[in-house]
Amino acid sequence: MSKEELNEKENILRILKEVKHAVKREDVVRLKQLSNQTIHTASIEQDADSITVAVIVYSLSKIIERKKYTNYVEWPSFYKSYVNNINKAITSLEKDDVEGFRNNIDKIRKDINNLSGRFKKYIQDVFRKAEINKASRLYEHGISMELTAGLLGITIWELAEYAGQTGISDVNLTITMPIEKRLKTAEDIFK
Amino acid sequence: MKKAIIFDAGTIINFSINGLLDLLKKLKGIFNGEFLITEDVRYEVVKRPLKVKKFELSALRVNQLIKEGTLKLPSSVNIKDSEIEKRTKELLNVSNRMFSARNHYLHLIDKGEASCLALSEILTRKGVNNVISVDERTLRMLCENPENLRKLMETKLHAKIEAKKQNYGEFDKFRIIRSSELVYIAHKNKLVELGNGMLLDALLYAIKYKGCSISREEIEEMKRL
């Protein structure tokens, strides 16, 4: 394992351990913060593991936040398995078993396929929206729209709709040319 | 061909989501040149969304623009895809090794965006006056003010960003416009048939909220011009 991979592993391990405690307290705000911390790392290293963890943790915060899910019959077993898989992922990382970690994280996604009816649709929707939300965060960090969409497995169409509603374009640093000059460029080409 | 506008995926997606693809046709009508998209951009605006139910119809509409010639592929104006592909790879190599943090190169842009730059270079070499229409922020900042992009990333990532400043010049030759400038021109030429004093404001905010990187400050300034 290279130094970078080791740092990455340590970071994910720290985040997941904190996730475990936040879940016990049902601390939704902390879970969202932890997901955002993962996105910082993902922006730099653009590694699939950090991105997946960011989505899993953010989705978990949304699932805990919306109490209506608890009314579904499949809820207790799904939630128990979700948390168990996070715990097993932690154990795997502690043993430097990266494959084991990935398998356990994958199991969370696979569990969704085993759900049924409206509950399955709700959870799938939570994950899709989490992917778009995290993509928007990556874009906010300076990664291009196309690259971000590719990393999260979504389309630029989905990202454009979401990113447009954030304040990303109102940051002063992003104004790179006086508006009159850019308009002149456009008008000149149409002459 | 003497003039061309090269479209990145974001601009076409923006026009499509806002129901303004007809406006693109009208703009083409007053433009004495070609509207071009690369194969990589076609993938993002047609091939990929055709596989997503939510965007299938939009993809078909964009494809229709290609079929009827409003949007053209470089091959139809005798520019080889292999030539674009080769230069795209080179530009990706430079752009994605420009910044680094914690010993990692920061990948900034992807194929579609880089292919627009490659096509622009090739057209310029052939003496074709061209601009690139890009709505997303990163590519525009990379070309027009990479130092601002470095600062922005440093702030957002809470990490020191090292830059190969000698490569900044590689991208400063590209000329960029956005959806906002296109709707401004459409409005000025009375191509939008909605007679209301609020029209320009409505158009500019509509495209802002669908991904065009333009600030409120810029919109208000544009309205005053």
Side-chain angles (χ1 to χ4, degrees):
Chain A
M1 199 178 277
S2 70
K3 193 182 165 193
E4 283 82 23
E5 283 169 331
L6 194 66
N7 287 341
E8 196 183 299
K9 188 209 85 173
E10 291 298 330
N11 186 52
I12 291 177
L13 186 56
R14 178 188 61 79
I15 298 262
L16 287 179
K17 280 180 177 174
E18 285 200 51
V19 165
K20 193 174 161 179
H21 294 298
V23 167
K24 275 183 193 160
R25 299 192 307 271
E26 295 197 353
D27 189 344
V28 171
V29 175
R30 185 64 188 143
L31 285 172
K32 285 179 183 167
Q33 285 170 346
L34 290 167
S35 171
N36 285 343
Q37 282 182 22
T38 318
I39 280 297
H40 283 319
T41 312
S43 302
I44 295 174
E45 298 172 15
Q46 293 173 15
D47 62 298
D49 292 335
S50 294
I51 291 168
T52 308
V53 167
V55 171
I56 297 274
V57 175
Y58 187 80
S59 300
L60 186 56
S61 77
K62 286 291 177 191
I63 289 167
I64 293 174
E65 194 174 42
R66 291 176 201 167
K67 297 288 179 197
K68 67 172 181 180
Y69 298 133
T70 59
N71 297 327
Y72 287 91
V73 180
E74 291 169 291
W75 164 257
S77 59
F78 172 72
Y79 184 64
K80 191 178 169 194
S81 176
Y82 202 129
V83 176
N84 270 347
N85 281 319
I86 289 179
N87 290 338
K88 284 179 188 170
I90 293 172
T91 309
S92 299
L93 275 188
E94 282 173 338
K95 293 177 188 165
D96 288 336
D97 176 10
V98 177
E99 275 314 299
F101 155 78
R102 287 181 185 148
N103 286 338
N104 285 303
I105 292 293
D106 275 353
K107 274 183 196 164
I108 295 173
R109 301 299 292 253
K110 283 177 185 160
D111 277 353
I112 300 171
N113 295 329
N114 296 328
L115 297 173
S116 59
R118 201 175 281 180
F119 186 53
K120 182 179 184 176
K121 278 191 174 172
Y122 279 142
I123 300 296
Q124 279 175 332
D125 193 44
V126 166
F127 270 77
R128 194 66 183 163
K129 284 181 178 158
E131 281 162 352
I132 297 168
N133 178 289
K134 293 301 113 185
S136 165
R137 288 278 173 177
L138 268 185
Y139 178 55
E140 195 180 341
H141 281 59
I143 312 297
S144 81
M145 204 170 260
E146 187 191 349
L147 186 56
T148 300
L151 287 168
L152 269 297
I154 62 167
T155 64
I156 303 179
W157 296 73
E158 289 163 295
L159 182 54
E161 279 192 319
Y162 195 91
Q165 287 157 39
T166 66
I168 295 171
S169 56
D170 287 306
V171 178
N172 273 342
L173 279 173
T174 69
I175 302 172
T176 48
M177 184 185 281
I179 198 77
E180 281 189 60
K181 192 177 171 190
R182 197 181 305 282
L183 265 179
K184 191 175 180 316
T185 305
E187 286 180 323
D188 283 350
I189 197 98
F190 270 88
K191 270 180 192 165
Chain B
M1 178 177 49
K2 287 183 178 169
K3 291 192 293 187
I5 298 178
I6 301 160
F7 287 84
D8 181 33
T11 310
I12 295 167
I13 290 169
N14 203 330
F15 271 70
S16 173
I17 295 175
N18 274 307
L20 294 172
L21 285 180
D22 271 353
L23 192 57
L24 214 52
K25 279 161 79 169
K26 289 179 185 173
L27 279 165
K28 177 68 173 58
I30 62 162
F31 185 65
N32 187 22
E34 301 293 353
F35 284 1
L36 300 174
I37 60 166
T38 64
E39 273 297 339
D40 287 313
V41 169
R42 179 160 79 148
Y43 174 79
E44 297 294 345
V45 296
V46 178
K47 292 181 181 171
R48 180 91 204 278
L50 271 178
K51 293 173 192 158
V52 182
K53 295 291 174 208
K54 188 180 173 186
F55 301 113
E56 213 176 336
L57 183 61
S58 304
L60 288 173
R61 285 186 179 135
V62 176
N63 199 39
Q64 185 60 27
L65 289 183
I66 299 170
K67 277 186 181 173
E68 66 192 29
T70 301
L71 296 172
K72 284 188 175 170
L73 291 162
S75 54
S76 70
V77 290
N78 295 322
I79 294 171
K80 287 180 187 162
D81 288 331
S82 57
E83 194 181 353
I84 297 172
E85 213 170 296
K86 182 174 177 279
R87 188 58 187 142
T88 299
K89 277 182 191 160
E90 290 165 358
L91 286 164
L92 277 174
N93 209 26
V94 179
S95 60
N96 290 339
R97 284 168 183 269
M98 188 127 88
F99 295 150
S100 59
R102 298 181 201 149
N103 296 320
H104 275 272
Y105 283 121
L106 297 175
H107 285 210
L108 300 172
I109 61 169
D110 214 343
K111 279 198 306 187
E113 290 137 352
S115 70
C116 292
L117 302 180
L119 178 57
S120 174
E121 260 192 14
I122 294 164
L123 288 173
T124 303
R125 215 168 46 231
K126 289 177 182 279
V128 179
N129 182 14
N130 69 88
V131 298
I132 312 172
S133 183
V134 180
D135 274 6
E136 73 98 39
R137 173 199 59 181
T138 307
L139 183 65
R140 175 171 54 78
M141 292 183 78
L142 181 73
C143 295
E144 294 176 350
N145 198 332
E147 186 53 20
N148 269 14
L149 181 59
R150 190 192 68 77
K151 285 180 191 164
L152 178 89
M153 294 189 88
E154 208 162 67
T155 310
K156 292 287 178 187
L157 296 169
H158 309 291
K160 177 90 182 143
I161 308 284
E162 305 287 346
K164 282 186 185 168
K165 292 189 180 176
Q166 67 272 25
N167 288 347
Y168 280 1
E170 190 82 22
F171 299 95
D172 64 5
K173 55 184 172 281
F174 300 105
R175 293 186 302 149
I176 289 174
I177 61 168
R178 303 168 291 193
S179 292
S180 46
E181 284 71 47
L182 290 172
V183 297
Y184 180 91
I185 285 171
H187 179 261
K188 202 174 170 182
N189 285 278
K190 300 187 172 26
L191 299 181
V192 193
E193 289 154 5
L194 281 170
N196 188 313
M198 304 287 286
L199 184 55
L200 182 59
D201 183 78
L203 284 168
L204 290 171
Y205 276 102
I207 56 101
K208 172 181 171 62
Y209 286 118
K210 296 295 182 228
C212 178
S213 177
I214 180 168
S215 68
R216 284 181 177 77
E217 195 185 316
E218 286 177 291
I219 289 180
E220 294 309 316
E221 205 180 327
M222 228 172 183
K223 280 160 54 187
R224 285 194 295 272
L225 290 172

